[in-house]
Amino acid sequence: MAQIHRNDVGSLVFDRSGGGNFRLWSAFSGAAFRRKLLDSMLCGVPRHHYDDDAGVVESPVEKPNQKERQNRSDSKRNGGSESLSELMNLTEASETGVYETEVERRRKIEAFEELQRVVKKLQLEEGSVQMEAAMDVRRLAKEDSEARSTLAMLGAIPPLVEMLNSNDQDFQIASLYALLNLGIGNDTNKAAIVKAGAVHKMLKLIECPDESPNLPVSEAIVANFLGLSALDSNKPIIGSSGAIPFLVKTLQNVHRNSSAQARQDSLRALYNLSISNLNISQIVETDFVPYLLSMVDDMEMSERILSILSNIVSTPEGRKAISTSRDAFPILIDVLSWTDSPGCQEKASYILMVMAHKAYRDRQAMIEAGIGSSLLELTLLGSTLAQKRASRILECLRVDKGKQVSGVYGGIRGAVVSAPICGSSSNGESKEGLTEEDDEMMSEEKKAVKQLVQQSLQNNMRRIVKRANLPQDFVPSDHFKTLTSTSTSKSLPF
């Protein structure tokens, strides 16, 4: 047997067996040959190594590639399952949303059908069925704003107003409270109720000159006037209908049967009506203004009362009614010292400011009532708004006082005395151009100024001492005399 050695390709063995034929054998296995062929196809890139023991060729890149393919297949399988899960959840959510929308739609349809049935009963039925329908309107409109609008749109207001003609008090009360709830927070319904003639029908229910009106009916009417008067267009209609005297009587409790709630509602309704100047004359014609002034010290109603007076003072007849009332200015001036109620101070100072600007007679009445010390205190201790108003009142009174002084000392001679009021010069002689009578008058004016300043300082110091819980004799009275004796050259504090 002859053996031929290869150089770098491999070795071949010629084996002759049998009939002298030769067979070519490879020096490596078939698997190794296939890998060799694969390497040659890959341009000879070195990718393999040989295992000396087993003679098996392994690829170091093969296992990571297998893991990557496995991960990809797993991720595809997982991703597919996740996408399917998300799709199923989205479908379920969509179905739930559609279901909820359908339920909401059905609920709205049922609610609308119920409102239709109620209005139909109001319009077509009579007796207990109609009263039951009015009670249903009251219930449905109590807290549902959409129901109020829908009921009015379906025509619930006219039959409810027509029910006020009934002689049955249960019918009247059911209708009144149904109308009251329909007007809550709905200006369109308020205007429609008044337009349907409800105000005049309500007043007919309490037109009993000899007998007191039924208390539940009266309270329901007062509550309706309160709600309806909140709309500006309704104010003159209600005021001219005769509702103001009824409200005033309810507030004054003339029949001794008005509840506390009815009185509060009457006061608030009168405030709403007083906003319109067209109603001031109606308010003044009653004895309402003196009653308000007498009730200012009622802390539960004082601020509302002063608000009404602030509206009344805006017209000439209102100012006249206030100024001609007994103790009007002392009462209002006393309010200026209510340091625990700045809102009342601001409203009282507004009323006095308007009256001081408009009439000389009112300014004189304020001075006589001792407004000077209260204004001085308010300019020091009041709120910002109250201080501004007090300063304006002081300015009005100061200008008015300056005119008086000019008229006394410069009328005939045409001279205006603007210098400090002093009767004599440093050498004891009278000033040139002034007679002894003028000198005496100036001395009296000087004494009046000193007395007023001293009184104002005393009042202010007493209040300060009282608030600080100091002894009453903390500041001796001689201290005020010393202060005023050094201020003789000052003009009036107002």
Side-chain angles (χ1 to χ4, degrees):
M1 183 179 77
Q3 185 176 1
I4 302 174
H5 297 278
R6 63 178 180 88
N7 46 6
D8 59 347
V9 178
S11 61
L12 297 175
V13 177
F14 292 95
D15 187 12
R16 185 178 60 184
S17 62
N21 297 323
F22 294 91
R23 186 175 57 180
L24 181 65
W25 291 92
S26 173
F28 40 82
S29 64
F33 180 77
R34 287 194 297 272
R35 290 188 175 87
K36 285 281 188 180
L37 182 61
L38 181 61
D39 286 343
S40 63
M41 292 176 62
L42 293 176
C43 302
V45 178
R47 294 175 177 266
H48 307 85
H49 69 278
Y50 292 92
D51 190 338
D52 294 337
D53 296 332
V56 179
V57 179
E58 296 180 356
S59 174
V61 185
E62 185 177 359
K63 291 183 179 180
N65 288 338
Q66 291 178 354
K67 292 181 179 180
E68 184 178 357
R69 288 195 297 270
Q70 184 69 25
N71 293 335
R72 287 179 181 176
S73 61
D74 292 342
S75 64
K76 288 181 179 179
R77 286 194 297 272
N78 294 336
S81 62
E82 290 177 359
S83 300
L84 180 60
S85 176
E86 292 176 358
L87 182 60
M88 293 177 63
N89 292 335
L90 182 61
T91 304
E92 292 177 358
S94 177
E95 292 177 354
T96 303
V98 171
Y99 176 74
E100 291 178 352
T101 304
E102 183 66 20
V103 170
E104 183 69 16
R105 188 178 67 85
R106 290 180 181 177
R107 187 190 66 79
K108 290 183 178 181
I109 292 175
E110 292 174 358
F112 182 76
E113 291 175 350
E114 181 183 6
L115 298 178
Q116 281 183 318
R117 288 193 298 269
V118 170
V119 175
K120 188 175 181 180
K121 290 180 182 179
L122 281 174
Q123 294 172 341
L124 303 179
E125 301 293 338
E126 295 180 356
S128 60
V129 177
Q130 189 180 28
M131 187 177 71
E132 182 182 354
M135 297 173 66
D136 289 337
V137 171
R138 176 184 178 182
R139 173 181 56 83
L140 294 170
K142 184 177 181 180
E143 297 179 354
D144 191 348
S145 59
E146 294 183 1
R148 296 173 200 139
S149 302
T150 305
L151 286 168
M153 181 186 65
L154 293 173
I157 292 177
L160 287 173
V161 174
E162 192 66 25
M163 287 177 63
L164 296 176
N165 295 327
S166 174
N167 295 324
D168 190 338
Q169 291 183 355
D170 293 334
F171 270 68
Q172 297 170 3
I173 292 174
S175 174
L176 287 170
Y177 281 108
L179 291 171
L180 175 65
N181 287 353
L182 284 175
I184 295 175
N186 194 312
D187 292 344
T188 303
N189 290 357
K190 290 176 183 176
I193 292 171
V194 172
K195 188 176 181 180
V199 175
H200 298 281
K201 293 182 183 296
M202 290 178 188
L203 291 174
K204 287 182 180 180
L205 298 179
I206 44 94
E207 284 180 352
C208 302
D210 299 330
E211 300 179 1
S212 61
N214 180 268
L215 181 59
V217 175
S218 177
E219 291 181 350
I221 292 174
V222 170
N224 271 276
F225 284 160
L226 172 59
L228 297 175
S229 62
L231 184 64
D232 290 340
S233 60
N234 288 344
K235 289 179 173 63
I237 299 175
I238 297 174
S240 60
S241 67
I244 291 177
F246 164 69
L247 293 172
V248 172
K249 290 179 181 179
T250 303
L251 177 62
Q252 294 176 347
N253 199 10
V254 174
H255 300 290
R256 304 297 177 186
N257 61 351
S258 300
S259 63
Q261 184 62 48
R263 296 183 67 199
Q264 289 287 343
D265 291 346
S266 298
L267 185 64
R268 294 168 62 189
L270 288 166
Y271 168 73
N272 289 341
L273 295 175
S274 68
I275 295 175
S276 174
N277 290 340
L278 298 176
N279 294 328
I280 300 299
S281 58
Q282 300 288 337
I283 294 174
V284 170
E285 289 176 0
T286 64
D287 57 347
F288 185 48
V289 173
Y291 174 78
L292 289 178
L293 291 169
S294 65
M295 295 296 294
V296 166
D297 57 348
D298 187 346
M299 300 307 296
E300 293 183 358
M301 301 188 298
S302 56
E303 191 162 357
R304 183 74 63 181
I305 288 174
L306 291 169
S307 298
I308 297 175
L309 292 174
S310 298
N311 294 331
I312 293 175
V313 80
S314 62
T315 62
E317 57 267 27
R319 291 191 294 273
K320 182 178 179 181
I322 294 175
S323 62
T324 55
S325 298
R326 182 181 179 182
D327 296 332
F329 291 109
I331 291 172
L332 294 173
I333 291 171
D334 181 64
V335 178
L336 298 179
S337 62
W338 292 4
T339 55
D340 57 337
S341 181
C344 292
Q345 286 181 319
E346 293 172 358
K347 291 177 174 60
S349 61
Y350 173 78
I351 298 169
L352 293 169
M353 180 184 68
V354 174
M355 300 188 73
H357 273 275
K358 296 295 183 179
Y360 168 79
R361 181 183 61 185
D362 294 338
R363 292 194 291 270
Q364 294 303 308
M366 294 178 194
I367 294 173
E368 294 174 1
I371 195 175
S373 59
S374 298
L375 292 175
L376 289 174
E377 181 180 2
L378 193 60
T379 55
L380 297 174
L381 304 176
S383 64
T384 303
L385 183 57
Q387 289 178 0
K388 291 181 179 179
R389 290 173 177 173
S391 299
R392 290 186 178 181
I393 299 173
L394 285 169
E395 185 64 26
C396 288
L397 300 179
R398 185 181 295 112
V399 171
D400 199 36
K401 191 63 179 178
K403 291 180 181 179
Q404 288 184 4
V405 174
S406 300
V408 172
Y409 300 114
I412 299 177
R413 295 178 299 274
V416 178
V417 179
S418 59
I421 305 174
C422 299
S424 60
S425 60
S426 58
N427 56 5
E429 298 179 357
S430 298
K431 290 185 176 180
E432 183 179 358
L434 295 180
T435 64
E436 294 181 358
E437 183 180 358
D438 293 336
D439 194 13
E440 292 177 0
M441 293 179 61
M442 292 176 66
S443 299
E444 292 297 329
E445 186 70 22
K446 175 180 171 182
K447 292 178 182 179
V449 172
K450 289 174 60 177
Q451 184 179 0
L452 183 58
V453 173
Q454 182 177 352
Q455 181 182 0
S456 176
L457 291 173
Q458 286 177 346
N459 293 335
N460 291 334
M461 187 57 67
R462 287 194 190 98
R463 293 190 180 96
I464 295 172
V465 168
K466 185 177 180 180
R467 292 191 190 95
N469 295 325
L470 297 174
Q472 294 297 326
D473 57 350
F474 180 75
V475 180
S477 58
D478 295 339
H479 178 68
F480 299 106
K481 296 181 180 179
T482 303
L483 289 176
T484 53
S485 63
T486 59
S487 304
T488 56
S489 61
K490 295 184 179 180
S491 60
L492 288 173
F494 50 87

